[in-house]
Amino acid sequence: MDKVLDIQNLSINFKGFKLKNISLSVQKGEILGLVGESGSGKSLLSNIILGFTRDYQILEGSIGFLGENLLLKNERAMYSIRGAKIGYIFQEPLSALNPLHKIQKQILEALKIHNFYSKDALQARLYELLDMVKLDKTHLQRYPYELSGGQRQRVCIAIALANNPQLLIADEPTTALDSKIQEQIIRLLQDLQKQLHLSILFISHNLGVISQISQNIAVMKEGEIVEYGASQEIFKTPKHPYTKMLLQSLQITYREGRDYGEEILRVEDLKLCYVLKRNFLGKKLQELEALKSLNFTLREGESLGIIGESGSGKSSLANVLVHLLQPSGKIMFLKEDFLGLRGKELQIKRKMLQMIFQDPFATLNPKMSLYEILKEGLEIHHFKGDIAKEICQALYDVGLDESFLQRYPYELSGGQRQRVCIARSLVLKPKMLILDEATSALDKNTQKQVLDLFLTLAQKYALSYLCISHDLAVVANLCERVLVLQKGKIIESGITKEVFSNPKTTYVKGLLESARFNEGL
């Protein structure tokens, strides 16, 4: 077979980080998986292939694409290659798509920038791309925020395929998606690869996902390829200790139940409706019932997992619990009617209930140092003690020290940024943390470190967690009990190990099968 991408002995110095003697190739019609934890150099390599990054020193080697060395191309030459001959799928579709433009305009832009089409040919190609990614014409007149995560990723795939590229680079295209949508996107890429005879470089930190889609796998660690070979061989008989560690991280381990303190949260008959349409007098014409009569409790030191596919109501529940949405029903938090609190009373109680979000980079102000970020919450709540001492203690609790105080978020790794987000909550001495996909953007090794940190903090401060996640291994590791949401309703609940080992509904069975598919189990 012909080589579409052929990287030979590539060594590059990028601001002190080195890619060392990288050699790999992607044949015509092959899917090559590139796997490694955050900071291993995966995304840097893809950015250098596409010429996104120029501020580097070439020590030796070449990047061959269709027989030409991309390292010798200037920006003008790379402009005619990016998007035309090499397509790129980004990790976070919501960030990759322009929020101000409808889907039709964004796909047409990708078509027009490299080709001249007649009006009829342009429309025909637009519909052809939609058909490829299993979307219908109604999606064209929508904005990105009106689509689900899976639909947005399908749009990004359509844009990447718009000009019939010979090589497709997919950079963590399933990381932010729930297990069912992940499986759909993987199967879609497999179908497109066969249909179009595409060559794909599939980048992920999850060896399980990589093994499901790739014929061959390259394992990357600290800028080096430490193992390279057939997917089945590497998955079944890994040779390098780092590859073995990545495989071990896929195994599900369950947290055992223990004695808990008093009840700190009680939810009774909780309902939430979104108004979809009103008439000119403001009367409700159409509503969406997002949460339907939810009932559950949480005790001091306990962790409760919330799982369900996109649109099941997980994030709506989180927003209700932190008083960002006004539902009907009752929420008793620390023995007070939380929904009835207003003004100063609400602010005082809110300090005890904090939330940690999915993307730590997006939730930290890039213009503020870590000291300013951690100080902000204390000042808002009028803390009277030694602010510097409290900040340093919060950093120590999450495994960092005062040397980080003058750094900015962009100077940290993904795991360090998430530790800062945890410290920002801890500094307020909360009783309960809501974890909204708090580890989904992290590689498996960093994810395990953060989960171990949560477990340690729970014991030290008697913290309670409400953990929202599409990753069932995360829920099993952290949570003794689990609730399964479907269309805003609890359809199963109980001890995590029992629910996962013996699901009673076809919906939960489907979630578990998708999770096992994505983890290669």
Side-chain angles (χ1 to χ4, degrees), residues 415-432:
Q416 288 171 337
R417 285 195 288 263
Q418 196 60 291
R419 288 172 187 266
V420 171
C421 290
I422 298 167
R424 180 174 58 180
S425 295
L426 284 181
V427 79
L428 297 175
K429 302 291 190 294
K431 287 291 184 183
M432 175 180 165

Side-chain angles (χ1 to χ4, degrees), residues 503-514:
K504 295 179 175 59
T505 62
T506 54
Y507 176 75
V508 180
K509 288 176 184 176
L511 286 178
L512 289 164
E513 286 170 5
S514 296

Side-chain angles (χ1 to χ4, degrees), residues 181-222:
I181 306 300
Q182 277 189 20
E183 182 181 356
Q184 291 172 15
I185 295 299
I186 288 171
R187 294 195 186 281
L188 173 63
L189 287 172
Q190 288 174 323
D191 292 342
L192 289 170
Q193 185 271 327
K194 292 173 184 175
Q195 179 186 339
L196 304 174
H197 204 51
L198 265 176
S199 301
I200 302 177
L201 177 62
F202 190 97
I203 300 170
S204 178
H205 62 246
N206 190 322
L207 189 54
V209 170
I210 286 280
S211 70
Q212 293 303 305
I213 194 170
S214 308
Q215 288 96 21
N216 295 295
I217 294 175
V219 182
M220 199 174 212
K221 183 177 189 293
E222 296 175 355

Side-chain angles (χ1 to χ4, degrees), residues 255-261 299-303 454-460 462-465 478 480 495:
R255 187 183 184 192
E256 299 297 329
R258 53 194 178 85
D259 294 331
Y260 309 116
R299 304 179 75 86
E300 185 180 71
E302 185 185 16
S303 297
F454 282 135
L455 293 171
T456 301
L457 293 171
Q459 287 187 327
K460 185 174 182 179
L463 278 171
S464 301
Y465 297 123
L478 187 63
E480 303 90 344
I495 304 300

Side-chain angles (χ1 to χ4, degrees), residues 69-113:
N69 188 357
L70 295 182
L71 294 177
L72 303 178
K73 300 279 186 184
N74 59 25
E75 180 58 27
R76 185 178 180 85
M78 289 305 300
Y79 179 80
S80 64
I81 293 174
R82 285 193 297 260
K85 297 179 181 179
I86 302 178
Y88 195 86
I89 304 171
F90 294 90
Q91 176 175 346
E92 179 44 70
L94 192 59
S95 300
L97 296 171
N98 191 323
L100 303 177
H101 293 162
K102 292 181 179 179
I103 298 307
Q104 176 170 301
K105 182 173 182 179
Q106 299 192 54
I107 298 177
L108 289 177
E109 182 181 36
L111 288 167
K112 291 175 181 177
I113 201 167

Side-chain angles (χ1 to χ4, degrees), residues 247-260:
L247 276 169
Q248 287 173 351
S249 69
L250 299 177
Q251 303 303 315
I252 292 180
T253 56
Y254 291 94
R255 187 183 184 192
E256 299 297 329
R258 53 194 178 85
D259 294 331
Y260 309 116

Side-chain angles (χ1 to χ4, degrees), residues 21 60 100 126 211 217-218 254 256 294 317 320 328 367 370 380 383 396 417-418 428 474 484-485 508 517:
N21 199 31
E60 63 174 319
L100 303 177
L126 177 64
S211 70
I217 294 175
Y254 291 94
E256 299 297 329
L294 302 189
L317 174 59
V320 163
S328 61
K367 295 182 178 181
L370 299 195
I380 287 172
F383 180 74
Y396 291 142
R417 285 195 288 263
Q418 196 60 291
L428 297 175
V474 168
V484 185
L485 284 183
V508 180
F517 172 86

Side-chain angles (χ1 to χ4, degrees), residues 56 60 73 76 95 144 161 163 179 204 219 235 237 269 275 277 311 315 319 344 353 355 365 370 387 400 455 459 481:
Y56 57 81
E60 63 174 319
K73 300 279 186 184
R76 185 178 180 85
S95 300
L161 295 177
N163 297 292
S179 55
S204 178
V219 182
F235 198 77
T237 56
D269 196 28
V275 178
K277 193 175 181 180
S315 293
N319 289 330
K344 190 174 181 180
L353 174 60
M355 191 165 175
N365 190 326
L370 299 195
I387 287 181
L400 303 176
L455 293 171
Q459 287 187 327
R481 289 193 301 124

